[in-house]
Amino acid sequence: MRVLGVVAFVVAACAAAMGPAHAQDATTLKKEMLGQWELSTTERSKTCVVTLKGDPAGQGFKLELEPACKTALPFTKDIVAWSVRGLDIVRLQDTTGEAVIDFTEVEAGIFEGLRQGEGVYILQDLAAARSMAKSMDQMIGDWSMVRGNGQPVCGLTLTNTEAGPDNFQVFLKPKCDSVIAQFNPTQWRLERGQIILMSKSGDVWQFEADDNAQWRRVPDTADPLIMLRQ
């Protein structure tokens, strides 16, 4: 019994010690969230600027949605406040305090939230989001695919023409390598620093930028496939 009493005391002491740390985590997150954020679909085909404030508002804190939000993202009409729930959940909530959408951080300054039946949405620092948009604009145009030895094997054009939710049209030029022609990508998007190419059959190729400003297909192979901006 004495041993059990000591164990209980240690567990209670640990819980007490952890409490303030957890509270501090939530407090820090609240401070970090103050400011302007972009709420968007995963590839920013629909966007909305949200300003999170520290003033109390009902069961949370005040926020402002730009007027265009309700048109771009209709569910935002129900959002009246925001709060931090638990240790790491950022909630955009309705008048009753219920979640319209909950976000969790997946990368520094980037939060993801899921609405059932609709899909994933992104909450990102506004300045960073606009920088990403500029990067995407730079992707639009003609590209060449080459092998690791520099031999050209295909030409393609990335466009900003929408081709379904958050994807855009891509066109192959004539005389592509048979492997690429068989893959035959029809859509593309920029996602978390990768160029994603997708075929009609659902196959996906991913390319990451390397230190030479080239985009290499991942995972890497002994005979790499590289995309070069023309």
Side-chain angles (χ1 to χ4, degrees):
M1 293 293 293
R2 181 168 185 148
V3 172
L4 291 175
V6 172
V7 171
F9 173 79
V10 170
V11 170
C14 288
M18 291 171 64
H22 287 180
Q24 181 60 41
D25 288 344
T27 300
T28 300
L29 179 58
K30 177 187 172 249
K31 290 180 180 178
E32 291 175 347
M33 296 304 299
L34 299 179
Q36 289 191 304
W37 295 79
E38 182 186 83
L39 173 59
S40 70
T41 50
T42 51
E43 289 314 313
R44 303 183 73 257
S45 59
K46 296 178 181 179
T47 67
C48 161
V49 176
V50 183
T51 303
L52 303 183
K53 301 184 175 183
D55 307 315
Q59 300 182 45
F61 303 99
K62 289 183 180 179
L63 58 72
E64 289 182 359
L65 297 165
E66 67 176 356
C69 287
K70 294 178 182 179
T71 301
L73 302 170
F75 70 85
T76 59
K77 71 182 187 303
D78 297 323
I79 298 172
V80 299
W82 74 282
S83 61
V84 173
R85 296 302 175 102
L87 300 179
D88 59 358
I89 295 175
V90 175
R91 172 169 293 181
L92 303 185
Q93 60 196 48
D94 61 19
T95 54
T96 67
E98 292 298 312
V100 176
I101 184 169
D102 281 339
F103 289 93
T104 54
E105 194 168 24
V106 292
E107 296 180 26
I110 301 177
F111 295 75
E112 281 190 1
L114 174 67
R115 278 182 57 83
Q116 293 296 333
E118 294 184 26
V120 174
Y121 292 88
I122 305 296
L123 189 66
Q124 184 176 189
D125 175 80
L126 182 61
R130 287 180 172 170
S131 175
M132 176 182 173
K134 183 178 180 181
S135 296
M136 184 170 174
D137 289 342
Q138 293 171 349
M139 300 294 142
I140 296 168
D142 292 329
W143 292 74
S144 176
M145 279 192 185
V146 303
R147 292 293 182 187
N149 60 7
Q151 177 187 359
V153 291
C154 189
L156 66 161
T157 302
L158 304 184
T159 77
N160 59 357
T161 303
E162 290 191 18
D166 304 319
N167 297 329
F168 303 91
Q169 290 183 352
V170 56
F171 298 100
L172 291 187
K173 296 183 178 181
K175 301 180 180 179
C176 283
D177 176 275
S178 60
V179 173
I180 301 168
Q182 185 175 0
F183 171 51
N184 190 25
T186 58
Q187 299 183 33
W188 79 280
R189 67 173 179 264
L190 190 63
E191 181 177 295
R192 296 186 189 177
Q194 291 186 333
I195 294 177
I196 310 294
L197 299 181
M198 295 154 285
S199 70
K200 283 185 178 179
S201 62
D203 292 331
V204 174
W205 285 7
Q206 299 165 289
F207 293 80
E208 287 186 352
D210 62 18
D211 295 336
N212 299 315
Q214 301 173 340
W215 293 78
R216 300 172 69 92
R217 188 182 173 194
V218 291
D220 210 352
T221 64
D223 185 19
L225 190 59
I226 299 169
M227 289 180 61
L228 300 175
R229 190 74 167 85
Q230 297 298 288

